[in-house]
Amino acid sequence: VAPTTPVCEVPSSAMTGTVVQMSCKETEGSPPAEYQWYKNGVALLEKTGTGSARAANITYTMNKKSGTLLFNTVTKNDTGEYFCEASNGIGLSQKCSVKRMQV
C-alpha cells in the first residue's frame, strides 16, 4: 500500500541552544514508510560515521524509520523551511506541507 501524506510536527520557533525534535508520521503505508527530512528543499544527510558528520558540521540526528529529526542544540543556522517525505517503494512518495522554524 502506498503511503498517505505524512503529518509533520515542526516548531515554529526555538531558542538557540535548546533541544528540538521534529516528527513525521504516516500510518497507511505497507510496508512501513521510511522518512526523509528536507531543509529549504535540500535533503538532509543521515548521520553515519562520527568523522564525516563532524566534518559536515551536522548537529542533528535523523531517524528514517521513526521519522524523527532531533537537534541536540539548535543554532541560528538551523532556521529554515522543513518538510518530510514518506516513501516505501510503492506508489508515489508523499510530502507534508513545508513548515518554517525560526531559531
Side-chain angles (χ1 to χ4, degrees):
V1 180
T4 55
T5 302
V7 175
C8 295
E9 290 182 21
V10 175
S12 56
S13 63
M15 294 289 291
T16 304
T18 58
V19 175
V20 171
Q21 180 167 315
M22 302 181 186
S23 66
C24 179
K25 197 79 190 143
E26 76 79 39
T27 53
E28 301 293 311
S30 180
E34 287 206 343
Y35 303 98
Q36 170 67 52
W37 278 94
Y38 292 80
K39 177 188 172 188
N40 299 332
V42 179
L44 292 174
L45 296 170
E46 193 168 17
K47 196 183 221 174
T48 47
T50 48
S52 60
R54 198 170 290 128
N57 206 10
I58 292 177
T59 58
Y60 58 81
T61 307
M62 179 170 57
N63 186 323
K64 292 196 169 193
K65 298 277 187 230
S66 69
T68 57
L69 181 62
L70 178 67
F71 293 87
N72 289 326
T73 51
V74 291
T75 67
K76 288 200 181 338
N77 292 339
D78 295 318
T79 294
E81 297 187 336
Y82 291 85
F83 69 89
C84 110
E85 181 179 69
S87 59
N88 66 354
I90 298 166
L92 295 171
S93 59
Q94 298 288 333
K95 300 178 176 70
C96 66
S97 57
V98 174
K99 296 189 180 173
R100 182 170 176 80
M101 179 176 73
Q102 182 73 42
V103 180

